[in-house]
Structure formats: structure tokens, C-alpha cells
Amino acid sequence: MNDQARALREQVKNSKRQPEEEITKKKETRAIAVMSGKGGVGKSNFSLNFSLTLQKKGYKVLLFDMDIGMANIDILLGVTQRFSILHLFERNLSLEEIVQEGPEGLSYIAGGSGLKDIFHFDEQKRNHFLSHLQRLSYQYDYIIFDMGAGITSESLQLILACNEIILISTCEPTAMTDAYSAMKFIHNHDQNIPFQLVVNRAVSPKHAINTALRLQSVTKQFLNRNLSHLGSLPDDKYVTLAVMEQSPFVLRFPNSHVSRAVREIAANYLHGRDTTAIKNTNTFIHKLRRLFG
């Protein structure tokens, strides 16, 4: 009888522990910061369409609009923002309730002035936010942070916690200079975080390749690090048409040159993930907690 009772208690104990163990065993989300050195290079449009492309490939993606004051993911989607991160505290909502669903089942959190306040919360509120974010992260393969142009002391913490950075630049000299400056600034704080380059609005493949080669050259010469080139997006009229219609171009014009280019970039990214040994894959939340502290 005692053996049966002990076995029953052990079974109940294991059944209570199982959900937590399943969560911990699940591969944690991969966090990607999409950033640029200056505004107006198409960063948010890339973030949205890249996220949708991964989602259409069967991955669970959460797009987090971190462009404080200039948030526009909801505008590009043609929807009205219902929640901001402050509702997590003011209305006692969970992050799951703040997350909104976009096309193709894409999850997103719209930006707003409340996002900046996260970095100034007291320890209790920060821990509350991070606990919610950690639980939410287990539901996704990727969290993509659409960062604001430039780098603030607040956004730096989040960027450094991400697993990798996708850097957006155009072929314009000012955009290239600002992109390199942003990369150098991040490099001075973390020499190991991977960068991958996307050249946007290229007037020709030759211009895109030359831009990538120049940025790769200065990065190797002055920072002694490699810069992977994920691919380029052409200067396509269908991007403007899609923005005017407030619809992502990969959905509105799936056969356009720019849509095919995004799919190729996503394929290159996923191929790189499959063939490259990824280190420190489960550190996003832990790094964020440490940086917030």
C-alpha cells in the first residue's frame, strides 16, 4: 500500500512538473534586431515583409515595433493600433492580450510612446515585463524587433540582447556611412554579435554588390570582422503602390521583383542558420535581464 501511495504521489508530482519541463526543453525564440544608421531606408517595410515571408514558410513570428515615436507597422498593415506596452501595467493585461494578429497569422506588437518607458521602469515592473516576455517567447520561433533609426542608450540594451542584427542600408553614401557608424557603435559594446547586411532600393544588382563590397571592406579593415551579405532589394514601384494601399508588398504583389527578392533573402537567412553552428542560441531573455539590471 505504501509503495502504491508513493508511486501515486510521484505520478502527480511529475504531472505538475511536466508543463514547466516541456517549456524549458522547447527551443527558445531567436531574437533579431533590424536596424539602420538613418531613417528613410525602408527598414520597417523590410521588417514587415521579411516577417511575413518567414511566417508563410511555416515559422511562428512575432514582429515587435520598437520605432519609438515613428512606429508605423500598423500603418503599413492598414490597421488601427489598439494596445501599447503600457496596457501591460495600466490595464493589467498580459503580453498575449497586447499581441495583435496580422495577415498570414503574423503576430505583432504595435509601437508607441509607451515602449520607451520600459527602460525606465523600476525593478519590479521590469521583472514583470521580462517574465511576460519570456513566457511569450516560447510560442515563437522568431521575435523580430524593428528598431528606430539611430541608437539610443535605451535601445542599445535591447539590441545587445538579440542573437543577431540585420543591418539595412541603401546605395547612397550617407546611408552607407550611417550604417557603418551604427555597426561600429554596436561593435564597441559587443564584438561577437553577428551582423548581416541587406541593401535596399538598389537601382541595379551591380550597385547592390558594390555597396555590399564597400561596407564589407571597411568593416574588415577597421573592425576586423566579417559582414555577411544576405541580399538586396530592388528599387521597385510596387513597394510604393503597396504602401499607398497599406498592404505588404509580398501579399499584394507576390510576383514582383521585390517580393521575389525578399523570399530569396529569407531563404539565404534560413540556409545560413541550417549550415552554420549557432552559439548561445538560448540567451536572449537572460542577456536582457542582465542588461536591464
Side-chain angles (χ1 to χ4, degrees):
M1 180 68 71
N2 287 339
D3 290 341
Q4 289 178 337
R6 188 181 304 110
L8 180 61
R9 284 196 301 270
E10 190 65 28
Q11 184 177 354
V12 172
K13 183 179 178 181
N14 288 338
S15 68
K16 289 181 178 179
R17 186 190 304 129
Q18 186 176 4
E20 183 178 348
E21 288 180 345
E22 287 179 353
I23 286 177
T24 16
K25 288 179 181 177
K26 185 183 184 304
K27 185 177 180 181
E28 190 177 341
T29 184
R30 187 94 179 150
I32 306 171
V34 179
M35 58 176 292
S36 63
K38 59 175 287 186
V41 298
K43 173 184 51 60
S44 295
N45 220 342
F46 170 80
S47 298
L48 173 59
N49 286 276
F50 179 70
S51 298
L52 280 168
T53 302
L54 291 179
Q55 183 79 21
K56 284 171 68 66
K57 286 180 175 291
Y59 296 94
K60 288 290 293 178
V61 181
L62 171 62
L63 176 58
F64 208 133
D65 192 344
M66 289 297 296
D67 198 345
I68 310 301
M70 297 292 289
N72 55 12
I73 294 297
D74 50 339
I75 297 173
L76 292 172
L77 285 170
V79 297
T80 303
Q81 176 183 327
R82 294 170 53 214
F83 300 111
S84 78
I85 205 69
L86 284 183
H87 293 130
L88 180 70
F89 308 98
E90 293 178 347
R91 300 188 189 177
N92 199 30
L93 298 179
S94 66
L95 273 180
E96 287 88 345
E97 292 173 296
I98 293 172
V99 171
Q100 301 179 70
E101 184 174 339
E104 301 294 328
L106 174 70
S107 299
Y108 72 96
I109 296 180
S113 59
L115 291 173
K116 186 174 182 179
D117 295 329
I118 298 171
F119 300 100
H120 302 291
F121 284 151
D122 59 35
E123 183 178 358
Q124 182 179 358
K125 287 186 175 181
R126 286 200 302 269
N127 287 335
H128 180 57
F129 165 70
L130 290 172
S131 296
H132 275 264
L133 182 59
Q134 184 167 21
R135 286 199 301 272
L136 184 66
S137 71
Y138 292 121
Q139 302 176 26
Y140 297 96
D141 299 300
Y142 296 99
I143 298 181
I144 297 178
F145 293 97
D146 177 32
M147 305 303 301
I151 304 171
T152 65
S153 57
E154 293 90 357
S155 65
L156 176 64
Q157 300 173 72
L158 180 58
I159 293 170
L160 293 176
C162 287
N163 301 102
E164 58 195 313
I165 297 169
I166 294 179
L167 184 67
I168 310 296
S169 178
T170 66
C171 300
E172 298 175 3
T174 52
M176 294 169 61
T177 301
D178 289 344
Y180 171 75
S181 297
M183 185 165 42
K184 180 181 178 181
F185 186 77
I186 297 295
H187 173 81
N188 288 337
H189 289 84
D190 185 342
Q191 297 182 12
N192 296 314
I193 188 168
F195 278 90
Q196 302 195 70
L197 173 68
V198 170
V199 179
N200 194 22
R201 296 176 185 164
V203 295
S204 71
K206 181 179 178 180
H207 280 87
I209 291 172
N210 287 341
T211 298
L213 289 175
R214 289 174 64 184
L215 280 170
Q216 287 173 326
S217 175
V218 295
T219 301
K220 186 65 175 177
Q221 180 179 355
F222 296 107
L223 303 182
N224 193 29
R225 65 182 298 167
N226 296 319
L227 174 63
S228 300
H229 181 205
L230 268 184
S232 62
L233 302 176
D235 190 8
D236 194 328
K237 66 178 181 180
Y238 289 109
V239 174
T240 303
L241 291 175
V243 170
M244 291 173 63
E245 296 183 20
Q246 293 184 282
S247 177
F249 58 75
V250 293
L251 302 182
R252 181 66 181 86
F253 305 107
N255 296 320
S256 63
H257 291 300
V258 69
S259 294
R260 290 199 294 268
V262 168
R263 290 195 291 270
E264 184 177 345
I265 287 172
N268 290 341
Y269 172 79
L270 293 172
H271 178 72
R273 289 291 322 281
D274 291 339
T275 58
T276 305
I278 303 296
K279 298 180 181 180
N280 301 323
T281 54
N282 296 318
T283 59
F284 168 61
I285 296 295
H286 301 295
K287 286 172 68 177
L288 198 55
R289 284 186 183 278
R290 189 171 67 249
L291 290 165
F292 264 121

